[in-house]
Amino acid sequence: MITRLITPFACLALLAASSGCVVVDGDPQPSPAYGTLTASWTLDGSAGPSICTYYAIDHVDVLVLEDDGWTAADAAPYCEDFGVSFDLPAGWYSTEVTLVDFHGIAVSDTIVVDVQVLRDAEVRVEIDF
């Protein structure tokens, strides 16, 4: 009789243990608020791909720094892209944009623009070299 009772209870215990139910105690952490920073550029007011070839510009170095100086994002898109976007937590940032030739040498001044990224919004940094 006892073995007849133990077998069903053992099966129930195994089923309960294998159900995968997990209990977590504590408040869930909210996800940080993100916005988009878009840096775009033109050369002498033009966004035509031939203008990049005319000035021998290969790519554009874009560096985004947090307000404490740490790198938040960076990219080196081709000049002909005329823009790049980053999804960042809301806050203040400094954007540094520099034109670079086919030899990897900076051929422009670095343009620095301070911006505030807001939650669920896009902020644009538009530069004409």
Side-chain angles (χ1 to χ4, degrees):
M1 174 80 167
I2 292 180
T3 52
R4 286 186 183 170
L5 288 176
I6 291 176
T7 304
F9 286 118
C11 289
L12 287 174
L14 285 173
L15 284 173
S18 67
S19 69
C21 182
V22 177
V23 176
V24 177
D25 187 23
D27 295 329
Q29 295 295 323
S31 62
Y34 280 80
T36 302
L37 185 153
T38 298
S40 60
W41 53 88
T42 54
L43 304 177
D44 283 338
S46 174
S50 62
I51 195 79
C52 296
T53 304
Y54 178 79
Y55 285 109
I57 306 299
D58 180 46
H59 65 276
V60 179
D61 283 340
V62 181
L63 179 65
V64 180
L65 302 171
E66 296 176 352
D67 59 353
D68 61 4
W70 289 96
T71 300
D74 64 351
Y78 290 110
C79 176
E80 294 86 356
D81 292 344
F82 293 103
V84 64
S85 294
F86 305 97
D87 290 328
L88 300 167
W92 283 95
Y93 296 90
S94 182
T95 306
E96 299 180 0
V97 183
T98 309
L99 300 177
V100 179
D101 70 8
F102 292 94
H103 302 291
I105 298 171
V107 293
S108 73
D109 291 335
T110 297
I111 307 298
V112 179
V113 179
D114 295 327
V115 296
Q116 182 180 16
V117 173
L118 300 173
R119 178 184 192 151
D120 299 325
E122 180 182 26
V123 62
R124 296 187 64 81
V125 174
E126 298 176 353
I127 300 169
D128 183 53
F129 288 97

